[in-house]
Amino acid sequence: MRIIFLVLVLLFLASLGYAQKNSIIPEPASCQFSESRYLYIDQIRFSCQPAQEILIQNFSNQLAGFGIKLGNIKKSGPKTANLILGIDTQKQIGLEAYSLTITPQQIQLTASSETGLFYGLQSLTQLAVSNSVASGFRVPHGTIQDNPRYVWRGLMLDESRHFFGKEKVKQLLDWMAFYKLNRFHWHLTDEPGWRIEIKKYPKLTSVGAIGNFHDPKAPAAFYTQADIKEIVHYAAERSIEVVPEIDMPGHAAAANRAYPEFSGGGSEKYPEFTFNPGKEHTYGFLTDILREVVQLFPSKYIHLGGDEVHFGNQQWNTNADVQSLMQKHQLKDLQAVEFYFINRMTDSIAALNKTMIGWDEIVTSGVPAEKCLTMWWRHDKPEQLQLALEKGYHTILCPRIPFYFDFVQHNSHRSGRYWAKEYAPIEKILAFNQTYAEPLTKYPNLIDGIQANIWTETIHSEERLDFMTFPRMAALAEVAWSKNNSPDYSTFLKKMQVSFRLYKEQKITFFDPVNPERTPELPGPKK
Ligand code: ACM
């Protein structure tokens, strides 16, 4: 009996040891840590090139945010430094890869770019938060060699349905960086509200930004161009690229409230849903908008939406402009009109030296594969993914199951979406690379990455945004970074205990799948 008890205690301690030493999420490609030896640091003496000092400053601020103080950080020579950052461009490693070595004397971090150094520091932060002690910073001796699985590790936030604002977005970016996610897709326009200032068309925000999904009269809420620049800069400091989405030709109702002269009408359920593809001025209007958008976002991509146009294009049948466009270009049906529009706007984007992204509807539009990137979202249409890949489209996978975070994550949850009986729990996210092993193996050079999308029809508050995002963001990162096709659920949850503690400290309203009763569902807005 005593032996069994002892074994159980040892097993428990071993599991704690694991959780402490390596609770890094996402799991590094390879790592070894000492079981018992640590490096303690009470003041960082760093050595790096001047351009990288900002990385050290941000690292120290990040640790302070987690309650780990390091005194005044100090620049030092390589002999006396205890944190040495080096860029080695000779090394044949990817731009996001890094190697980290922790010895009794120092921490040595090497990468081929500043992004790699940044990711090494994120791993170091994670080691520090799980191993530090009351007296200060402590990390285990050991090594990490690491690089990501996918180039595109994305998260999309819909701020048209509900607007969250700069501080919340910055917090999301902080956590994305912590988990090494690197693309923030910002869904800024849709039916309930237009959220980006366009100087040439001020009514887009003075009129179009009024309202949200559950309150059409909510005061105008939007980002000024100065706000956008601030967010883009904040993201870049965290190795995150911001990709804006200006949805067209559907989901255009907010813009149409502001400038009805460019509306192509809608349907009973989706009034004023489309831009008017038959009117030449519409293309000028939209290109003017994009001209301002490209100035704000250094990303090479601009997302043009292109989804669900059939929800509200019925009035094109009776619109004189659209009818004459159809005659002039021999467009046989409304879908041909939609594709004509998408092709023209893709060319407008190309003329602005950017590349268009579209939802998977564009795969049949005739837009040449080299001119765009597509996001496969309709999980019930695997044939659309197949078609995209056969036609050579670079593709991001974001199927609703398991990557739409407005779907519930537990079968006791009632607020949020289901697809028949399907929903989007952590287990399905962790199984993603296994579930899609076939296309991933067959088209490794076309599938650039994966992304989760937070649609916000049912997400009206910061707390509910947290509840739907955490901890699924961490699971997304695990499958976006790690090359292991089947990360173990219980190991992942064990590692998550450190994140759960941090969430609590930062007052993040997360869902704990191990203790669903302790983190009760936070419902969406009342209808
Ligand atoms: C989408 O969910 N309409 C892309």
Side-chain angles (χ1 to χ4, degrees), residues 394-432:
H394 279 266
T395 303
I396 307 299
L397 306 183
C398 51
R400 294 185 195 92
I401 305 288
F403 285 147
Y404 271 27
F405 286 0
D406 55 333
F407 278 67
V408 307
Q409 53 193 316
H410 191 265
N411 62 11
S412 68
H413 293 171
R414 293 288 160 264
S415 212
R417 292 170 76 187
Y418 282 85
W419 190 272
K421 292 209 160 81
E422 276 196 282
Y423 56 101
I426 297 275
E427 293 95 315
K428 281 207 178 144
I429 297 173
L430 291 181
F432 179 79

Side-chain angles (χ1 to χ4, degrees), residues 251 307-308 359 377 404 455:
H251 292 284
D307 55 323
E308 300 174 324
W359 298 108
W377 64 282
Y404 271 27
W455 299 104

Side-chain angles (χ1 to χ4, degrees), residues 184-468:
F184 178 58
H185 168 178
W186 211 357
H187 188 81
L188 287 166
T189 72
D190 214 302
E191 297 139 80
W194 181 282
R195 307 296 182 203
I196 172 173
E197 176 190 28
I198 300 295
K199 298 210 177 199
K200 186 158 184 187
Y201 299 105
K203 282 192 287 179
L204 282 172
T205 42
S206 64
V207 175
I210 295 173
N212 61 40
F213 190 78
H214 77 280
D215 176 8
K217 295 204 172 75
F222 64 93
Y223 293 101
T224 64
Q225 296 200 352
D227 292 336
I228 302 251
K229 284 183 194 153
E230 185 182 325
I231 295 273
V232 166
H233 177 78
Y234 191 88
E237 279 192 339
R238 286 154 183 76
S239 289
I240 297 169
E241 185 175 310
V242 185
V243 178
E245 179 180 353
I246 309 295
D247 206 344
M248 58 184 77
H251 292 284
N256 288 339
R257 280 198 295 282
Y259 294 95
E261 57 271 42
F262 303 114
S263 174
S267 60
E268 205 177 321
K269 191 162 172 212
Y270 297 93
E272 304 305 328
F273 187 72
T274 61
F275 290 117
N276 183 348
K279 215 176 194 173
E280 197 52 33
H281 286 322
T282 305
Y283 298 95
F285 170 63
L286 292 174
T287 303
D288 285 345
I289 290 172
L290 293 175
R291 207 170 280 122
E292 290 192 32
V293 170
V294 302
Q295 294 301 322
L296 298 170
F297 296 92
S299 169
K300 93 179 223 218
Y301 296 107
I302 303 288
H303 201 309
L304 291 190
D307 55 323
E308 300 174 324
V309 181
H310 64 279
F311 278 10
N313 62 357
Q314 289 74 2
Q315 287 173 351
W316 292 0
N317 279 317
T318 51
N319 180 300
D321 299 319
V322 177
Q323 291 306 307
S324 71
L325 181 88
M326 289 175 81
Q327 274 188 352
K328 185 169 167 203
H329 294 281
Q330 299 187 339
L331 305 172
K332 67 176 188 340
D333 57 19
L334 297 192
Q335 199 178 48
V337 175
E338 171 187 334
F339 292 161
Y340 169 88
F341 173 95
I342 282 289
N343 274 277
R344 267 194 76 169
M345 291 313 301
T346 303
D347 288 343
S348 289
I349 287 282
L352 294 168
N353 289 322
K354 300 278 180 176
T355 301
M356 180 270 228
I357 305 184
W359 298 108
D360 66 41
E361 284 88 338
I362 66 157
V363 168
T364 33
S365 70
V367 171
E370 65 279 6
K371 281 196 182 166
C372 67
L373 181 69
T374 189
M375 290 186 170
W376 178 64
W377 64 282
R378 291 179 291 181
H379 74 293
D380 56 327
K381 290 195 189 314
E383 66 279 8
Q384 199 71 1
L385 171 60
Q386 182 63 26
L387 195 63
L389 297 170
E390 277 168 10
K391 289 186 169 187
Y393 284 91
H394 279 266
T395 303
I396 307 299
L397 306 183
C398 51
R400 294 185 195 92
I401 305 288
F403 285 147
Y404 271 27
F405 286 0
D406 55 333
F407 278 67
V408 307
Q409 53 193 316
H410 191 265
N411 62 11
S412 68
H413 293 171
R414 293 288 160 264
S415 212
R417 292 170 76 187
Y418 282 85
W419 190 272
K421 292 209 160 81
E422 276 196 282
Y423 56 101
I426 297 275
E427 293 95 315
K428 281 207 178 144
I429 297 173
L430 291 181
F432 179 79
N433 289 308
Q434 191 63 45
T435 309
Y436 286 95
E438 196 188 314
L440 286 167
T441 314
K442 198 158 164 204
Y443 298 99
N445 299 325
L446 286 178
I447 298 177
D448 292 345
I450 62 177
Q451 178 169 296
N453 298 331
I454 313 175
W455 299 104
T456 58
E457 284 91 339
T458 65
I459 302 178
H460 63 302
S461 68
E462 293 189 24
E463 291 75 16
R464 175 139 168 96
L465 177 61
D466 288 348
F467 186 78
M468 300 303 270

